[in-house]
Every structure is written in C-alpha cells, then in structure tokens.
C-alpha cells in the first residue's frame, strides 16, 4: 500500500492501519471486524459507513418483525391510543383531548386513520414508521462514535427492551421523542463536511421531540445549548440557531392550541399539571424501579414489588455505558475532538439522557416504563461501545464469553417475555371495555348517549359510542360505570347491573331510570 505509516495499537477491535495492510486485531472476524490478512475500508470511509448503515437497517427491520410476533397486530387500541385516533372520523366519536396531550401522535396516524378504522392496518403502518424512526435516530451516530459498528449494536440494545417492542406498533409518542432526541444529539455532535445537513437534522430531531412532548423538547434543548456555549469544539451560532429553530417549530402547534383552547400558556400548564396529579418536587425513582416489569401505568405504585430480573437492566446499562465512555476516551478518529478522544459526544448523550429522565424521577408523582425510552436510547450508544469491548475480550477468554452469552440470553428472554406477557394482559383487559359496552347496549344505552364513571370511563364511553361526561354534572349522564366502587350519591338509587366475564373483576353499570 503506498504511503504506509506505522499504525497505532488497535483499540476496541476496530480495523486500523498497520504495516502490511488493514487488519482486525487478533485476526478474528467479529463484531465490526474482518478476518486476518483481509483488506477492508477504514472505519470512517464511505464504503464502511454504508456497510454499517445496511446492518442498522437490517436490525430495524428485524426488531419490527419481532414486535409484530410478540405483540398481536389485532391488539385493541388502548386508552391513550383511543384519544389520539378518535381525532379522525373512522375512530369517532372524539374523546376529550386534555391539556397534557399534543398533536404529534395524531399527525403520525393521519395517513391511515383519516380513512380506515382497521386496527391491524394502523399497527402495520406504525411498525413501519417506528422502524424508520429507529433507523433515522441512530443513523447520525455512524460518523460520531469511534467504532461505527456500535451504532447498530446500540439500536439492537434499545430495541430489545420490552417497552420498545411493545410500543413499536402503538400510537404513543415516547419512541418518536426518543428517536428525535437521539438524532438531534448525534447531529449536534458531528464534525466535518455536511454542516448544513447536520444542522437541518439537529433542528428536525428537536422539532419531532418537541412536537411529541414539549416538556422533553425543553429538557433536550437545555444541555445542547449549554454544550454549544461551554464546549469550544461545538461553539458557534449555527448549532444555537438550529436548536432554537427546532424547539420553536415543534412547540408552535402546542402554543397556538394553548391560546385558542386553554386561554394561554400559563393556563394550559396549570391544567396539564393538575391532570398529571400535580407537578412538584418528588422522588419517583423507586416507582420507576418498580415499574421496570410493568404495569404500563404505575399510578399509584403502592403494593407492587420490584421484579429483579427486569431491574437488572439498570445496573447492566450503567456498567456498559461506563465501559463505553472509558474506552472512547482512549481512542481517536479523524472526527474526534482534541484532548477528549471520542468521549465528548458520548458524554453529551449521557447528559441529555440525564436531563430527559430527571423530570420523571424528580417532578412527576407516578411512573410508566415508556417515559424512560428517550434516556435508554441515548445511553444505548456508549453502552454498545462497552458491549463491544467486552465482546472483544470474550474472543480471547472462554469464561468471559460464557458470562457474556448467559447475560445477553437472560436479558433477551426476560425482555421478550415481558413484551409478550403485557400484550396478553392488555388484549384481555381492553376487551373489558367492549363487554361493558355490550351491557350498556343490552339495556338500551346507545348513541347518542353520555356515560361517566371512575375507572376507564373514556375508553368505555368510546367503545359504547357515547360521550364521556363529568361525574359532577349528573343531569347529562345516561349511565355510570364503576369498578369496585359505589356510584356517586346522585346515582345511588339507579338500577345497577354487574358486567359478567370481565378480565378485571368488579365492573357494574348503573342506568338512569
């Protein structure tokens, strides 16, 4: 090879220049490596990046297929999904759209929900959309991490989580917030040619994250703006303007609706806080630990213990991320930052992950596993580097290989099991709404009608073709649906009928005489 120069000591098992050609350390074909004596493109070359991008696309497709196998495409829409889908006439009547909700998810649903009421078709569309988002979220990191093969490993690590699998075909915002945040951080950290495209990607990622969940858009923008001011290699008005433009574009629909429907931003924030149970300084870390194996909504989390098999994900993620940060600092790539190795972008990922999760750990008085998806996605990048470092060691050590295999197999079996289990639970629980609607219909409560109640009143009313009314306005209600509770005093003398054969026991229907 002309112009050969003595090579550096290999790091992480990356293909690096050495005398006599481009060789993989140890001469072993492995994750991101090539065989002894084989020549290959340098890790940052266009051909090598295209190869890793194809692997990333394959991982995204495989995860979409896994989600379709574990979570039935026929799964009825959940409560939140019903609220979003009922913006469209095929899924009507429309259900109340409260202050915390945004128009991001209805925008995702519109290509299908605007003309078809097929749940299967909607879930197929969402699976395709979520896998595309997964690719676009991780793709910018190929030119940022010191070992491009870590990107598809990170996507697989994130996509193996039961929450990512369960919500891949769901009409929920959290996965898209995660991918918007991930793409924004990756575009922000990038260097080299294509500055305009990176700034556009940065703005687009922030716009998506903010459109889906404005609070997370703000939590994402804060560390990025701080990095644009404090880190010399990232200083410049371009990044600052891109962050500002992305947040502004994503927040604009929310701001307009706050003015038109809620009387202003302050009023909408106050109402949203009330719906969420009051945003205030709290410590919800234990609640999130408890909910790592479910339920989908832990509100309240009292009486539920910690599932330690699922809880092992936290120390595993922390260990792998720490190893990845340590390893990245010892390496340099052509796009690395002087004095930091390649660790600075990974520290940025960790900082943004911390900012996105802090609000749920310290401000929200309840937990849901999906809230942490953005943090997991960002931490998956340094964790993948740590995993590859262990994999390199495992090629030279049988005990390490055995331990790594057992840990990964255990992780995958636990996560796949939880995804399948929760899909089964939700399939049966959501059928209760139809059973209750059947009782209402059998007793003459049909559209146009009004229903109120204490538990799942919104999806029950929607399943019956009714509107949901406030229990404080009894004159507008045709029926009261309660679970394990008596009806309000104004309906105490109404004829009461139990709902048979429900997954969750204790449902009763009280009908206006």
């Amino acid at each position: 090879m002309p112009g050969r120069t003595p090579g550096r000591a290999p790091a992480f098992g990356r293909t690096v220049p050495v005398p006599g050609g481009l060789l993989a350390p140890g001469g072993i074909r492995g994750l991101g490596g090539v065989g002894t004596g084989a020549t290959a493109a340098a890790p940052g070359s266009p051909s090598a990046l295209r190869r890793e991008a194809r692997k990333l696309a394959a991982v995204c497709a495989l995860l979409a297929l896994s989600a379709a196998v574990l979570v039935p495409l026929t799964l009825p829409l959940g409560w939140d999904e019903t609220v979003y889908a009922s913006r469209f006439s095929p899924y009507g009547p429309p259900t109340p759209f409260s202050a915390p909700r945004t128009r991001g998810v209805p925008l995702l649903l519109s290509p299908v929900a605007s003309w078809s009421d097929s749940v299967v078709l909607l879930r197929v569309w969402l699976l395709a959309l979520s896998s595309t988002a997964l690719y676009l979220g991780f793709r910018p990191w190929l030119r940022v991490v010191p070992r491009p093969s870590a990107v598809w490993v990170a996507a697989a690590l994130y996509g193996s989580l039961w929450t990512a699998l369960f919500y891949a075909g769901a009409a929920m915002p959290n996965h898209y917030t995660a991918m918007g945040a991930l793409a924004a951080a990756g575009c922000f950290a990038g260097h080299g040619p294509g500055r305009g495209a990176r700034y556009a990607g940065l703005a687009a990622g922030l716009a998506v994250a903010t459109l889906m969940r404005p609070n997370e858009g703000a939590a994402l923008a804060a560390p990025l703006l701080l990095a644009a001011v404090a880190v010399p290699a990232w200083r410049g008005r371009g990044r600052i303007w891109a962050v500002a433009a992305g947040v502004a574009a994503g927040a604009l629909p929310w701001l307009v609706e706050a003015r038109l429907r809620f009387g202003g931003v302050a009023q909408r924030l106050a109402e949203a806080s009330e719906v969420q149970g009051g945003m205030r300084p709290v410590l919800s870390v234990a609640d999130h630990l408890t909910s790592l194996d479910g339920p989908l909504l832990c509100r309240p989390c009292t009486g539920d213990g910690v599932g330690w098999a699922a809880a092992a994900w936290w120390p595993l993620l922390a260990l792998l991320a720490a190893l990845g940060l340590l390893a990245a600092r010892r390496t340099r790539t052509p796009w690395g930052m002087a004095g930091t190795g390649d660790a600075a972008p990974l520290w940025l990922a960790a900082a943004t992950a911390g900012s996105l999760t802090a609000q749920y750990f310290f401000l929200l008085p309840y937990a849901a596993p999906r809230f942490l998806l953005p943090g997991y996605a960002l931490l998956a990048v340094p964790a993948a580097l740590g995993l590859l470092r262990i994999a390199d060691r495992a090629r030279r050590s049988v005990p390490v290989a055995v331990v790594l295999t057992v840990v990964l197999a255990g992780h995958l079996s636990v996560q796949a099991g939880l995804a399948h289990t929760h899909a089964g639970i939700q399939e049966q629980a959501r059928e209760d709404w139809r059973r209750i609607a059947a009782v209402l219909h059998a007793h003459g409560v049909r559209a146009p009608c009004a229903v109120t109640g204490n538990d799942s009143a919104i999806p029950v009313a929607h399943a019956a073709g009714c509107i949901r009314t406030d229990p404080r306005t009894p004159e507008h209600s045709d029926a009261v649906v309660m679970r394990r509770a008596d009806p309000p005093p104004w309906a105490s003398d109404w004829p009461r009928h139990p709902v048979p054969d429900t997954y969750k026991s204790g449902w009763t229907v009280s009908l206006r005489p």
Side-chain angles (χ1 to χ4, degrees), residues 226-256:
L226 181 62
V229 172
V231 180
W234 289 331
R235 283 178 189 161
R237 288 178 294 180
R239 284 182 172 84
I240 294 175
W241 279 112
V243 171
V247 172
L252 183 60
W254 187 91
L255 294 171
V256 171

Side-chain angles (χ1 to χ4, degrees), residues 393-420:
R393 180 69 179 272
R395 297 188 196 110
R396 304 187 299 270
S397 171
V398 173
V400 174
V402 170
V403 171
L404 179 61
T405 301
V406 170
V407 169
L408 290 180
H411 168 76
L412 292 175
S413 63
V414 167
Q415 299 297 323
L418 285 171
H420 184 64

